[in-house]
Amino acid sequence: MTLLDRPVGWIARNLPGSTRLFREYQLDFCCGGAKKLRDALAEKEVEPDLVLQRLNALQEEPADTWSQAGRPELIDHILTRYHARHREQLPELIHLARRVEHVHGEREECPNGLAQHLTEMLQELESHMMKEENILFPILLAGMSGMQAQGPISVMRMEHDQHGDALAHLEALTNNITPPKGACNTWRALYTGLAQLRDDLMQHIHLENNILFADAVENAHV
């Protein structure tokens, strides 16, 4: 089986550096991780041979530390690097979006509705992260049977799909997070922050869906 016939999420989990490449080609490796690479590339009309060549070159790089990390270490990383980070990012992005909409709302390129969308994203993410922190992560850290975690994991995966939809809407509002010509510093700072949020949230979902949750499900009957 070639990498083209592997699920995108499997590659993201097992091949270090592939997530960076997937972001370059705008391939969804978190919520769309079950899709075969061949099909994902076809949807984006990307030539598979070049991507396969670049992926094969990555196999000579050092191993991905997070795919090899213990469960407590990975969960701590998710909490400190992503949960805490999202709680810092979104309020500031909401503030910047409101400023841009207030000052430039009459411009055709202005992402009107972005502040409200980010507010809804923050609310959904906060609810999601609290469920992980108070229910799922304690189950996984206590070493309980994987069967006990499968229900909460299914809910978290479903909500991850919703986060992916929210990112797609964010990109639609912002012309794929591309500031227009002549955008002011606040507008550019907003879009820089949005791009970082997108990358962080995709990596966050990847670590959970393709590594943490996959490990728990695979060991459910152990």
Side-chain angles (χ1 to χ4, degrees):
M1 178 183 293
T2 71
L3 288 176
L4 289 174
D5 295 310
R6 292 282 191 183
V8 177
W10 184 95
I11 299 171
R13 177 184 178 185
N14 291 278
L15 186 54
S18 59
T19 57
R20 181 181 66 252
L21 183 62
F22 290 160
R23 281 195 292 269
E24 180 181 334
Y25 288 101
Q26 298 183 352
L27 299 177
D28 182 2
F29 59 86
C30 49
C31 302
K35 190 173 299 181
K36 289 183 179 180
L37 177 60
R38 185 187 307 278
D39 296 334
L41 291 173
E43 288 183 4
K44 293 291 185 179
E45 298 183 348
V46 174
E47 173 57 46
D49 290 343
L50 175 59
V51 176
L52 185 60
Q53 181 181 358
R54 295 181 66 183
L55 286 172
N56 287 332
L58 290 174
Q59 298 189 69
E60 300 178 0
E61 296 186 2
D64 176 10
T65 56
W66 294 116
S67 64
Q68 306 299 322
R71 190 173 293 177
E73 182 184 3
L74 177 55
I75 288 176
D76 182 67
H77 174 67
I78 290 170
L79 290 173
T80 57
R81 174 61 181 83
Y82 297 103
H83 284 210
R85 178 65 172 152
H86 296 329
R87 287 174 172 132
E88 293 175 352
Q89 287 172 311
L90 279 158
E92 176 61 17
L93 291 172
I94 292 167
H95 172 71
L96 293 175
R98 285 175 177 158
R99 288 182 59 189
V100 169
E101 290 181 56
H102 176 71
V103 176
H104 303 288
E106 294 183 357
R107 288 186 59 173
E108 182 180 354
E109 309 95 329
C110 183
N112 289 306
L114 177 60
Q116 179 60 35
H117 181 60
L118 291 172
T119 299
E120 293 169 0
M121 284 187 68
L122 175 57
Q123 293 169 347
E124 294 298 325
L125 267 173
E126 183 61 39
S127 173
H128 176 85
M129 294 187 296
M130 289 294 290
K131 292 172 191 173
E132 291 182 335
E133 293 164 9
N134 294 325
I135 300 173
L136 179 56
F137 289 175
I139 290 175
L140 297 177
L141 289 171
M144 298 181 188
S145 165
M147 294 294 291
Q148 294 172 285
Q150 288 197 66
I153 284 175
S154 295
V155 174
M156 295 300 98
R157 286 186 183 275
M158 179 187 67
E159 293 185 359
H160 284 168
D161 289 343
Q162 294 170 351
H163 299 331
D165 292 340
L167 284 177
H169 184 56
L170 184 153
E171 291 175 338
L173 283 171
T174 60
N175 188 27
N176 196 29
I177 316 183
T178 305
K181 183 178 180 180
C184 67
N185 288 337
T186 299
W187 203 334
R188 292 184 178 278
L190 168 63
Y191 279 27
T192 297
L194 292 176
Q196 185 63 61
L197 172 67
R198 175 182 58 188
D199 290 350
D200 283 347
L201 186 53
M202 289 185 69
Q203 183 68 11
H204 176 185
I205 294 173
H206 158 63
L207 290 176
E208 292 184 351
N209 275 5
N210 300 325
I211 299 180
L212 182 63
F213 297 170
D215 173 70
V217 171
E218 287 169 6
N219 290 285
H221 302 288
V222 176

